[in-house]
Amino acid sequence: MLPPDYQRILAAVRQAAGPVMASQVGEMLGVDISVRSKLEPLRGKLVRLVDRGWLRKLPDGRFTTRL
């Protein structure tokens, strides 16, 4: 099972109407996306979810659920 932070991120991506950028996920989770030091850890968690097979990263940098 995933830790709570990762569960929230995964739920936010699943609720989106389509592929999302890390900044859009941050907005959904209430992260201050204007501060890069707040957004980069979120981007890292998204990439970890991709590496572990929970999400898929598109060539344009957006994230979506696995098919």
Side-chain angles (χ1 to χ4, degrees):
M1 199 66 189
L2 292 171
D5 286 350
Y6 288 88
Q7 289 178 21
R8 288 180 49 225
I9 293 168
L10 192 57
V13 174
R14 284 182 175 155
Q15 290 175 357
V20 291
M21 299 294 291
S23 58
Q24 292 171 299
V25 176
E27 286 176 353
M28 287 187 263
L29 297 176
V31 174
D32 184 4
I33 62 167
S34 65
V35 179
R36 187 176 180 109
S37 64
K38 303 269 185 177
L39 187 57
E40 287 306 313
L42 174 62
R43 189 181 322 275
K45 288 179 181 179
L46 284 162
V47 170
R48 277 185 228 119
L49 286 169
V50 169
D51 292 343
R52 294 177 183 160
W54 290 90
L55 293 177
R56 186 167 57 114
K57 186 174 181 182
L58 302 176
D60 62 0
R62 295 180 299 161
F63 296 89
T64 187
T65 56
R66 270 275 190 225
L67 296 177

